[in-house]
Amino acid sequence: MGELTVKSSVKEIIDRTLRLTCLRVRNGIAGILCSWNGDNVRRTCLISFAIILAVSMLISCGQQQNKKPPPPPMKVGTLKVDKGTIEQVLELSGTLNFVANTTVSSEVSAQVKSIEVADGQALEVDQVLLVFDDTKIKETANQASANLQKDEATLAYNKIEWEKNLELFKSGSISHTQYEQKLSNYQNALAQVEADKAVLAKALQDLNKTTVKAPVAGLLSNRYVERGDWVSEAGKLFMISDYTRVYLEAYLSDIDVGRLNVKRILTGGIEGEVTIDSYPGKAFFGKLTYIQPVANQGRLFQVRVYLDNPDMLLLQGMFARGRTVYKEIPDCTRVPLQALLEQIRDNDYNAVYVVDSDRKAQLRRTKIGLTDAKNAQVLEGLKDGDTVVVYGKEILSSGQPLEPSEIQKPAKASRGKETAVEAPKMQQESPKTPGNGNKRS
């Protein structure tokens, strides 16, 4: 309070001195005029000169009293116009699936005796998965063997009868009807023997299929039976998944598909980046190599981004987001999108505030080309190294003094992923006024 009081007193003394000086000058000129006895012409000239001098001094005094301090510089956040690559990105979202899901089915109709694996277990080729109870199958095989022996004896008898009646038929000793009867008996016995052989062979094969083995290596991702279940032939038993490769299944409209280079995708693929909500901050990289040639009922085309998954971090059914770059413009002049003042349109004019050499804001028109998520291609109006305002630009005017603070550019993560940065504080400090000092009285 003491410091502010002293400053206020000094200002009052200066103002009072100026007013007294102006008053004395005016009174002195008036006294001279009153005592002047010369001719009228000289007197008129001197009066005019005195009036002009008095008015000039009064104006000067008024200007001294009304003069205000200049406003402080505005704090703003800035970035540099630089050289780099513009990447146009296509966003994807969908579900992860294992590349190979093999369903193991039963080849026999039998009851489950034992299950030799656990859910989620990693499997090798030919590893035993399940054993069926072979009691019924053995009974079927034994019955088929007995029937075969009996029917083979019947066949032998009918064959002898047919051969004997064949000679009698040729000599005319028996009728044609009697001969046909013996022939039919022989043929029926022969057919029955063949049927018995087929049943026996099937039973013997089923005995070899009561032990179910893994046809492929992978992960036991699903089990459809329990111990004691009766399973019919072709019934589902297990699902084995190859977890080493997965793919993101997403759907695109015909407009988005039109942006992609289909020939390049089908021949070698294009790189894709996938993120999973379960692993924040981590990105997985693969290739988009498949586009469904026929749209579904919703007029959408399925696309797939294939990924390696050696550590089994990615599981079937996870929701995933993907992005793929479908167009690049390398080594072009770029301006941050945050610096643009008007609505952003590709290949159109816009405006930015540039910080000049005097640290003042200058409004400048510029033409931009293509854009990506962070930058716009500069076609004209800006050059590499120009400083543009990105924070605080909304309240600027051309020629305004600035206190620029360059913002740290977002640090790039793997393959172009960037982290967010916090905008600096742009509040302008208000000048101190009497009564708002920091010292306590």
Side-chain angles (χ1 to χ4, degrees):
M1 289 295 292
E3 181 181 355
L4 292 175
T5 304
V6 170
K7 288 182 179 180
S8 178
S9 302
V10 170
K11 184 178 178 181
E12 290 178 0
I13 292 171
I14 293 173
D15 292 343
R16 189 180 299 111
T17 303
L18 287 173
R19 287 197 297 271
L20 290 174
T21 302
C22 293
L23 183 60
R24 289 173 181 173
V25 170
R26 186 186 61 183
N27 293 336
I29 293 173
I32 293 172
L33 293 176
C34 291
S35 61
W36 183 261
N37 294 320
D39 58 16
N40 292 334
V41 176
R42 293 178 61 189
R43 184 172 183 176
T44 302
C45 293
L46 188 57
I47 291 173
S48 300
F49 173 76
I51 292 173
I52 292 172
L53 181 61
V55 170
S56 299
M57 293 187 67
L58 290 174
I59 292 174
S60 176
C61 293
Q63 288 178 346
Q64 289 291 334
Q65 293 177 7
N66 296 328
K67 189 175 180 180
K68 296 181 179 179
M74 173 71 72
K75 288 186 177 181
V76 294
T78 62
L79 282 173
K80 295 282 189 182
V81 176
D82 63 358
K83 290 275 190 180
T85 301
I86 294 290
E87 296 181 339
Q88 293 199 306
V89 176
L90 189 62
E91 302 289 342
L92 310 171
S93 63
T95 305
L96 293 181
N97 292 292
F98 291 131
V99 169
N101 288 313
T102 303
T103 301
V104 181
S105 300
S106 173
E107 296 182 89
V108 298
S109 180
Q111 189 177 32
V112 177
K113 182 179 180 180
S114 64
I115 296 175
E116 304 297 328
V117 291
D119 295 346
Q121 181 177 337
L123 305 174
E124 301 293 336
V125 178
D126 291 334
Q127 183 173 343
V128 176
L129 305 177
L130 176 147
V131 177
F132 283 111
D133 186 358
D134 59 2
T135 303
K136 295 289 184 182
I137 300 174
K138 286 181 178 180
E139 290 177 358
T140 302
N142 293 335
Q143 185 65 42
S145 178
N147 291 338
L148 178 60
Q149 292 177 2
K150 181 187 71 172
D151 292 334
E152 283 178 340
T154 302
L155 175 62
Y157 170 77
N158 286 322
K159 183 179 181 182
I160 295 172
E161 286 294 312
W162 168 68
E163 290 175 345
K164 182 175 64 173
N165 281 272
L166 177 60
E167 297 297 329
L168 293 173
F169 175 70
K170 287 180 179 180
S171 63
S173 300
I174 61 173
S175 65
H176 185 270
T177 302
Q178 290 175 316
Y179 171 73
E180 289 291 335
Q181 181 65 40
K182 296 298 181 179
L183 178 60
S184 176
N185 291 340
Y186 170 67
Q187 290 176 338
N188 289 337
L190 181 61
Q192 185 61 47
V193 168
E194 294 299 326
D196 292 340
K197 288 181 179 179
V199 172
L200 179 59
K202 176 68 167 60
L204 294 176
Q205 288 179 356
D206 287 349
L207 284 174
N208 295 327
K209 296 175 181 177
T210 54
T211 299
V212 180
K213 297 181 179 180
V216 295
L219 194 71
L220 185 64
S221 56
N222 210 340
R223 177 166 57 91
Y224 301 103
V225 294
E226 297 289 346
R227 183 174 178 273
D229 288 349
W230 185 271
V231 182
S232 60
E233 191 171 346
K236 289 183 177 181
L237 301 176
F238 304 97
M239 179 179 287
I240 301 175
S241 300
D242 180 9
Y243 63 85
T244 58
R245 278 182 64 79
V246 298
Y247 64 88
L248 166 61
E249 178 184 321
Y251 291 87
L252 298 178
S253 67
D254 52 352
I255 296 176
D256 289 334
V257 170
R259 297 172 179 169
L260 299 173
N261 187 336
V262 178
K263 183 177 180 180
R264 180 183 169 192
I265 290 173
L266 298 180
T267 54
I270 59 176
E271 291 188 353
E273 177 183 324
V274 176
T275 56
I276 313 294
D277 291 346
S278 306
Y279 306 110
K282 186 175 181 62
F284 303 87
F285 301 95
K287 280 194 172 183
L288 194 161
T289 58
Y290 172 81
I291 296 182
Q292 188 179 23
V294 180
N296 61 16
Q297 293 182 350
R299 296 184 180 274
L300 298 176
F301 295 84
Q302 184 188 121
V303 296
R304 295 179 182 179
V305 179
Y306 287 87
L307 310 162
D308 290 330
N309 187 34
D311 300 325
M312 209 178 70
L313 295 176
L314 307 178
L315 303 178
Q316 181 164 306
M318 281 184 169
F319 178 77
R321 298 178 177 86
R323 60 191 299 271
T324 181
V325 178
Y326 64 89
K327 189 173 185 180
E328 288 185 341
I329 306 174
D331 196 31
C332 65
T333 304
R334 306 181 305 179
V335 61
L337 295 181
Q338 297 165 296
L340 300 177
L341 297 171
E342 302 172 5
Q343 185 176 357
I344 300 172
R345 298 184 182 89
D346 289 351
N347 301 306
D348 199 0
Y349 284 93
N350 213 299
V352 296
Y353 275 113
V354 179
V355 181
D356 63 13
S357 57
D358 296 328
R359 297 167 68 92
K360 292 184 179 181
Q362 300 297 336
L363 184 64
R364 186 178 298 179
R365 299 292 295 174
T366 181
K367 186 176 182 180
I368 61 174
L370 299 180
T371 61
D372 60 17
K374 298 184 179 299
N375 299 293
Q377 178 191 13
V378 177
L379 299 180
E380 59 182 66
L382 293 171
K383 64 180 184 300
D384 184 18
D386 283 345
T387 302
V388 293
V389 179
V390 293
Y391 292 118
K393 63 183 183 297
E394 296 83 2
I395 55 176
L396 292 182
S397 59
S398 192
Q400 184 170 354
L402 301 177
E403 185 180 331
S405 175
E406 186 167 358
I407 300 169
Q408 205 73 12
K409 278 194 173 182
K412 284 191 175 182
S414 56
R415 296 202 188 182
K417 188 170 182 181
E418 297 184 348
T419 57
V421 292
E422 184 181 357
K425 295 181 180 180
M426 293 296 115
Q427 289 86 353
Q428 181 175 345
E429 295 182 1
S430 57
K432 294 180 180 180
T433 57
N436 292 332
N438 294 327
K439 294 184 179 181
R440 294 183 179 179
S441 57

